[in-house]
Amino acid sequence: MPGKGRGLKIAAVVVGVVGLLLGFGGVGYARASYGASVVSSESMTPAYRPGDRIVFERIDADQVRRGDVVLVSEPDRYGPGFVALKRVIGVGGDRVACCTGEGTDARVTVNGRALPEPYVRGGEADATGQHYDVRVPQGRMFLLGDNRGNSRDSRAFLDDQGGTVPLSAVRGRVVDGYAVPALFVAVLILAVLLVLTGIGLGIGAVAVRRRARALVPPAPPWVMQR
């Protein structure tokens, strides 16, 4: 009975291969599209504290938006190999100014409109009393840390193109929440389950073939003597 267990064998191969493709494909996609880092400074507190582990997605320059928290590599300002974590306040064409009001009522303005910033430490948008009025060049962005009293951001380089940074310096955009890690874990779990199911089906196919062979009656002696 050569056909016994054939269906199980085919199913085992198909399910196992799908599981392997899903697993390796998921890992490859995650490594190419996402990364992880550890916060090393207090410039983005209270949202991101030193020692916090963050997940970021790799994005192109044209995907950067106001409000994004980005990882930036700018060796001339932060040193070679160092990646800074900052918030995008303005992009090409925006006019960023500081500040309207005083103390906790102070607000950074973007294109003349006060920017609501519930994320800044202590509610102080202007913790240093430094004033600026910058028109962001195309292809660049104006960055600030959430801890305005302890952040080396665009304000520290106002004499160099208004402190702006090229969009090409962005290495990734921080992904808030656990949706991406949870999805990645779910894909890996599904891949493992499919591989294990394929192995189980393969074992079942072998068992069926052995049982089928055991049920085949032995050939008569006269046939064997021939």
Side-chain angles (χ1 to χ4, degrees):
M1 298 182 180
K4 288 291 184 179
R6 182 178 178 82
L8 284 176
K9 183 178 179 181
I10 294 174
V13 172
V14 171
V15 172
V17 169
V18 169
L20 290 174
L21 290 176
L22 183 63
F24 286 114
V27 171
Y29 175 78
R31 293 188 65 178
S33 303
Y34 295 91
S37 184
V38 177
V39 179
S40 60
S41 76
E42 296 184 352
S43 68
M44 287 297 290
T45 56
Y48 304 96
R49 302 179 183 276
D52 285 352
R53 193 163 187 83
I54 56 175
V55 175
F56 62 88
E57 59 177 329
R58 307 181 200 280
I59 59 175
D60 296 328
D62 59 358
Q63 295 176 287
V64 178
R65 301 289 182 265
R66 297 187 205 96
D68 287 347
V69 176
V70 295
L71 290 162
V72 175
S73 175
E74 188 74 346
D76 292 340
R77 296 184 180 181
Y78 300 108
F82 185 82
V83 179
L85 183 68
K86 304 296 176 186
R87 191 179 296 274
V88 180
I89 302 299
V91 293
D94 287 339
R95 182 180 179 182
V96 181
C98 181
C99 280
T100 61
E102 297 180 358
T104 56
D105 293 326
R107 292 289 181 272
V108 172
T109 62
V110 178
N111 301 324
R113 295 184 178 182
L115 184 66
E117 297 188 285
Y119 42 76
V120 296
R121 184 172 183 174
E124 294 185 287
D126 181 27
T128 63
Q130 184 177 9
H131 296 279
Y132 48 86
D133 191 339
V134 176
R135 177 72 69 177
V136 183
Q138 292 296 330
R140 301 182 72 86
M141 56 189 171
F142 191 88
L143 305 174
L144 293 177
D146 291 353
N147 184 0
R148 299 290 158 80
N150 185 16
S151 176
R152 195 161 180 258
D153 45 42
S154 289
R155 296 171 298 172
F157 309 96
L158 292 174
D159 58 346
D160 179 12
Q161 299 193 66
T164 60
V165 176
L167 295 174
S168 59
V170 172
R171 294 295 172 263
R173 174 170 53 203
V174 174
V175 178
D176 287 324
Y178 299 95
V180 171
L183 179 61
F184 178 58
V185 170
V187 169
L188 287 183
I189 291 175
L190 178 59
V192 170
L193 290 176
L194 287 173
V195 171
L196 292 177
T197 300
I199 293 173
L201 290 172
I203 293 173
V206 172
V208 168
R209 289 179 64 86
R210 288 181 176 176
R211 191 178 301 115
R213 288 174 181 173
L215 294 176
V216 176
W222 60 270
V223 173
M224 296 179 64
Q225 289 175 1
R226 285 186 181 182

